[in-house]
Amino acid sequence: MKKSVPIGFEDFKRIIDGNMYYVDKSFMIKNLIDNMGSVNLFTRPRRFGKTLNLSMIRRFFEEELNENGEKIENAYLFDGLDIAACGGEYMDQQGRYPVINLSLKAAKQPTFEMAVASLVDEIAKEYKRHAYILSWEGISENDKKRFRAVMNQKAQDVEYAKALDFLSSCLAKYHGKRTIILLDEYDVPLENAYFEGFYEEMTGFIRSLFESALKTNPDLEFSVITGCLRISRESIFTGLNNLEIYSILNPWYADSFGFTEKEVMEVLSFYGLKDKFAEVKNWYDGYRFGEIDIYNPWSILNYVKVSLANQDAFPRPYWSNTSSNSIVKELVENADSEVRQEIEKLIAGGTIKKPVYEDITYDSIYDSQDNLWNFLYFTGYLKAGGGSLEDDTNYMKLMIPNTEIRTIYKRTILTWFDKRVKNLERSELIFALEKGDCEKIETFISKQLLDTISFYDYAENYYHGFLAGILKGAGKYLVVSNRESGTGRPDILLKTPSVRGAAVILELKVSDSFQGMEQECNKALKQVEEMDYEAELRAEGYDNIKKYGVSFYRKECMVRK
C-alpha cells in the first residue's frame, strides 16, 4: 500500500510511525553537530518545513522521558535515514540530551495580554512535559515550588521571563547534560504585535525570555531557532554574540528546508505522477536558497494529494491559502506610480533591482519602499536572480518565483481594483457617454488606466474586464459584458431598465502602436455597423442609442463615435 501524503503533519515521530511519505532532511543533524554553533537562527518562508525539522531534531537529540521518568526510545525513527549512514560518532548523540521545545506561533492574538497569556500557556505545557523532575530529590523544594508555579500558570511575571533559563537549569541537573533549546516561529509574536499595535511591549517580553536562556546560560548545549524574518540584534538579540544566522542567502543548510528538484522528482515518481513534473516546476519551483533551487513543499504535497484523486486536476495556489497575504495587499494598496510600474514588470516576468538588507525590524517595514521589497523577498513573495555589490550595499535582481505566487499578486490586484472602483465617482464618464463627448470619455478612461495596475499583457480581455469593472454599478444603467467572442454581440452594452431611456454600445480594439489607435477605432465602428449590433436594441424598443469605437494602446485610450 502506498504511503499517505502528510498534509499538515508537523510531528516527525507521527509521520514515521504512521508510515507517511517523508522527504529525508536528517542530514541537517550532521551539519548541526559538525558546525557546533551555540545559537543557530534559521529564517525561511512559511510552510517550508521549519516546524517539522525542529521536531526531527528534538526526536534525535532528546533523552525523552515519560511522566514516570521512564525513557522513551526514539532511535528506531532514524533507521534508513541519511543520518544513520553517517556513522557511530553521530548516532551516539541520539537520545543523550534534555531538550526544551517551544513554539511561539500561538501568540497571534489581538492584545498584548492575550498574546503573553498564549505564550505562558505554551511554556506551562513544556514544563508539564518535564514534570517528572518534580519526583527527584536532587531538586530543592524552592525550585520545585517555582517549577509548579510556572507549570500551573501562577508564577510572577519575572519568573515567566526567565522560564526557559530556569527550566534548562533544572533539566541539566536531572540529566547531567546541558540542555538543547528549540524555539519555533520566534518572530510570529513580533509580527502580530506590530500589526495589532503593541510591538514595543512584545519586543521587551521576547527579549527578556531569550536573553536569560541564550545569552549567559551555562546550562545551554546549543539552540536552534526558526522564523520567517531575521530580526536585528538590537531588537531582541541584544548582546547575543554567539548567534549564527542562516537566511535564504546563506549556502549552509540550503537544502534542509523545502524540496530540491531531485526530491520533487522522487515524490512524483513514487506516486506515479512523473509526467506532471513540467506543470509542477512551472507552478511551484523558483525559490533559491543559497545556491540551490528549491520547491515549495506545502504546495507540492497538496498538489500530489489532489492529483491522486483526480489526475486531470488543475494546479492551484495552495500556499496562498495559508495566509492573508497582507504584505502584498499593503504593497498594492499603497503603491505610487513608480511601484505600480514595478509590480506590472514583475507580473510580466521581469526583474527589479533593489538593495537587500537582512536584518530589519517589523516596525521599520514601512519606513521605506526598499524595506517592503526586502520583506517580500525574505518571506517568499519574491526571489533573487543574481546580485552585485555597489557602494558597500548588496543589490539583488528580484522577481516573482513562480505561477503560484504570481496568482497571489493578480488576485490581490483584482480585489484592490474592485474595492477602488466601488469608491470611484463615475458620473463624469456617464455624462460624457450620454452627450457623445469622446474627448472626456478617453481622458477619464486613460486616467484610470494610469492609476491602476495591469497584468501587462494588454490583451483585449484585460481592457474588456477593466472597462466593464468601471462601468458596473454606474447608476441608472445596466451593464451587459460579452466576454465570449463570436456571438455577434457588442463587447459592452449599457442600457436603462426602461426602453424610454437610452442605450450605449462599446466595441473595443487593441492597437499595436499609438499611431494605429484611430484606425482601430474606425474598425470597431465599422464592425458595429456591419454586425448591426443595434438591431436587437431597437427590437426591444430603444430609440436613443449611442455607438462608440474604443481603442487601447498600453495605458492610452482613444474613443470615436
Side-chain angles (χ1 to χ4, degrees):
M1 191 168 98
K2 283 194 173 182
K3 296 180 179 180
S4 59
V5 183
I7 303 293
F9 288 89
E10 296 178 325
D11 184 343
F12 171 75
K13 186 171 185 175
R14 189 173 178 186
I15 289 175
I16 300 300
D17 284 346
N19 195 34
M20 302 178 194
Y21 192 96
Y22 177 66
V23 175
D24 188 356
K25 298 294 180 181
S26 64
F27 199 78
M28 180 184 182
I29 295 169
K30 179 183 184 298
N31 287 332
L32 284 171
I33 295 172
D34 289 344
N35 293 334
M36 201 49 68
S38 178
V39 181
N40 306 275
L41 171 61
F42 295 92
T43 59
R44 294 292 187 276
R46 55 189 167 81
R47 296 292 187 178
F48 269 76
K50 298 186 296 293
T51 301
L52 179 56
N53 276 0
L54 278 194
S55 176
M56 172 192 69
I57 292 167
R58 177 200 147 197
R59 300 293 184 180
F60 183 84
F61 286 105
E62 185 172 30
E63 184 182 15
E64 187 176 3
L65 307 180
N66 63 20
E67 59 185 8
N68 298 317
E70 299 165 339
K71 185 168 183 176
I72 299 172
E73 184 56 59
N74 287 321
Y76 73 95
L77 298 172
F78 298 89
D79 290 347
L81 297 187
D82 288 344
I83 188 62
C86 291
E89 62 179 304
Y90 296 99
M91 288 307 296
D92 286 347
Q93 301 290 312
Q94 198 281 320
R96 289 188 60 188
Y97 299 90
V99 174
I100 296 173
N101 184 53
L102 182 69
S103 172
L104 281 69
K105 67 176 67 175
K108 295 185 74 170
Q109 304 297 335
T111 68
F112 174 66
E113 291 74 21
M114 290 178 66
V116 169
S118 296
L119 292 176
V120 165
D121 184 60
E122 292 300 313
I123 291 169
K125 289 177 183 175
E126 189 62 10
Y127 268 63
K128 288 175 185 175
R129 199 170 73 83
H130 297 288
Y132 54 82
I133 71 174
L134 291 172
S135 61
W136 184 50
E137 294 180 354
I139 300 291
S140 70
E141 287 303 317
N142 282 338
D143 283 351
K144 287 181 180 180
K145 182 179 179 181
R146 180 176 174 180
F147 192 106
R148 289 192 181 96
V150 175
M151 186 173 69
N152 296 323
Q153 302 186 43
K154 294 180 179 180
Q156 301 297 315
D157 290 346
V158 67
E159 291 175 319
Y160 292 122
K162 293 182 175 293
L164 299 183
D165 177 45
F166 176 66
L167 180 56
S168 66
S169 174
C170 293
L171 291 173
K173 290 176 185 176
Y174 183 94
H175 291 267
K177 290 278 188 180
R178 286 191 294 267
T179 306
I180 294 171
I181 298 179
L182 308 178
L183 301 172
D184 192 27
E185 304 285 10
Y186 87 104
D187 56 341
V188 166
L190 301 171
E191 179 186 17
N192 174 73
Y194 172 72
F195 287 109
E196 296 291 349
F198 50 89
Y199 185 79
E200 289 301 323
E201 297 97 313
M202 183 54 73
T203 300
F205 180 79
I206 297 297
R207 185 188 299 119
S208 298
L209 188 69
F210 283 13
E211 277 190 355
S212 59
L214 306 176
K215 183 179 176 183
T216 56
N217 183 359
D219 299 305
L220 177 68
E221 178 67 19
F222 69 85
S223 177
V224 177
I225 309 171
T226 69
C228 288
L229 197 66
R230 168 180 167 176
I231 306 298
S232 67
R233 292 176 189 267
E234 292 73 19
S235 178
I236 60 172
F237 295 123
T238 306
L240 195 62
N241 298 321
N242 57 346
L243 181 65
E244 296 281 350
I245 300 173
Y246 301 99
S247 74
I248 59 178
L249 293 173
N250 197 301
W252 283 98
Y253 302 95
D255 60 352
S256 294
F257 300 88
F259 291 169
T260 64
E261 186 157 289
K262 179 176 179 290
E263 289 166 342
V264 170
M265 288 289 288
E266 289 171 350
V267 173
L268 295 177
S269 296
F270 183 85
Y271 289 105
L273 300 170
K274 197 171 182 178
D275 61 327
K276 298 279 192 178
F277 175 71
E279 186 172 70
V280 165
K281 185 176 181 64
N282 176 52
W283 268 79
Y284 309 117
D285 184 19
Y287 300 93
R288 193 161 182 84
F289 298 167
E291 297 300 320
I292 297 178
D293 289 330
I294 296 293
Y295 288 68
N296 184 327
W298 173 259
S299 298
I300 294 295
L301 293 178
N302 275 277
Y303 176 90
V304 166
K305 189 163 188 176
V306 170
S307 296
L308 289 176
N310 178 12
Q311 289 259 349
D312 298 322
F314 291 108
R316 301 212 307 257
Y318 300 105
W319 192 67
S320 69
N321 295 328
T322 65
S323 171
S324 64
N325 302 306
S326 58
I327 195 67
V328 177
K329 180 172 174 285
E330 291 280 349
L331 176 75
V332 169
E333 291 186 351
N334 297 311
D336 57 21
S337 59
E338 180 181 352
V339 173
R340 285 196 292 269
Q341 290 178 21
E342 289 177 319
I343 295 172
E344 290 176 351
K345 190 174 182 181
L346 288 170
I347 292 176
T351 64
I352 59 174
K353 186 178 177 181
K354 296 293 175 182
V356 172
Y357 311 105
E358 286 195 73
D359 52 343
I360 58 176
T361 57
Y362 281 97
D363 61 346
S364 68
I365 289 172
Y366 301 107
D367 286 355
S368 71
Q369 197 66 52
D370 285 342
N371 283 0
L372 191 56
W373 289 120
N374 271 260
F375 189 88
L376 288 164
Y377 169 53
F378 285 108
T379 53
Y381 292 98
L382 294 171
K383 78 163 184 176
S388 60
L389 187 65
E390 302 176 20
D391 298 325
D392 297 324
T393 300
N394 189 18
Y395 280 82
M396 292 283 189
K397 290 181 180 179
L398 302 179
M399 66 187 76
I400 294 176
N402 51 44
T403 300
E404 179 177 41
I405 303 302
R406 188 169 288 107
T407 64
I408 295 175
Y409 284 92
K410 287 185 175 182
R411 286 181 180 182
T412 305
I413 291 167
L414 289 173
T415 301
W416 164 77
F417 178 73
D418 288 344
K419 185 167 69 173
R420 183 175 172 277
V421 164
K422 285 180 182 178
N423 299 319
L424 181 64
E425 178 53 59
R426 286 160 286 190
S427 58
E428 180 184 344
L429 174 62
I430 299 303
F431 184 76
L433 285 167
E434 291 174 337
K435 296 301 180 182
D437 192 334
C438 293
E439 185 176 345
K440 283 190 176 179
I441 297 169
E442 61 189 32
T443 298
F444 184 94
I445 295 173
S446 293
K447 183 181 185 305
Q448 302 312 313
L449 282 168
L450 284 171
D451 289 343
T452 193
I453 302 170
S454 79
F455 295 162
Y456 216 74
D457 54 8
Y458 295 126
E460 188 172 322
N461 62 352
Y462 161 69
Y463 294 109
H464 197 144
F466 165 80
L467 192 52
I470 288 177
L471 291 169
K472 280 186 177 176
K476 59 187 178 182
Y477 288 93
L478 301 174
V479 179
V480 180
S481 175
N482 171 40
R483 295 199 175 199
E484 296 75 29
S485 59
T487 57
R489 293 182 181 177
D491 286 326
I492 298 175
L493 185 68
L494 281 73
K495 57 183 181 179
T496 55
S498 169
V499 295
R500 298 174 185 272
V504 178
I505 295 171
L506 297 168
E507 186 63 25
L508 279 52
K509 297 293 180 184
V510 177
S511 175
D512 56 9
S513 69
F514 180 79
Q515 292 75 14
M517 292 178 72
E518 184 147 16
Q519 183 179 351
E520 293 301 325
C521 282
N522 293 331
K523 281 185 184 178
L525 289 171
K526 184 178 181 182
Q527 182 174 324
V528 170
E529 297 302 328
E530 290 180 348
M531 301 294 290
D532 198 15
Y533 285 154
E534 62 183 299
E536 188 174 330
L537 290 170
R538 296 202 180 279
E540 290 179 35
Y542 288 95
D543 184 52
N544 182 10
I545 302 172
K546 296 283 192 300
K547 295 171 282 186
Y548 293 98
V550 185
S551 70
F552 295 95
Y553 173 70
R554 297 188 177 275
K555 295 205 170 188
E556 299 292 337
C557 172
M558 181 177 286
V559 181
R560 296 291 181 265
K561 63 182 179 180

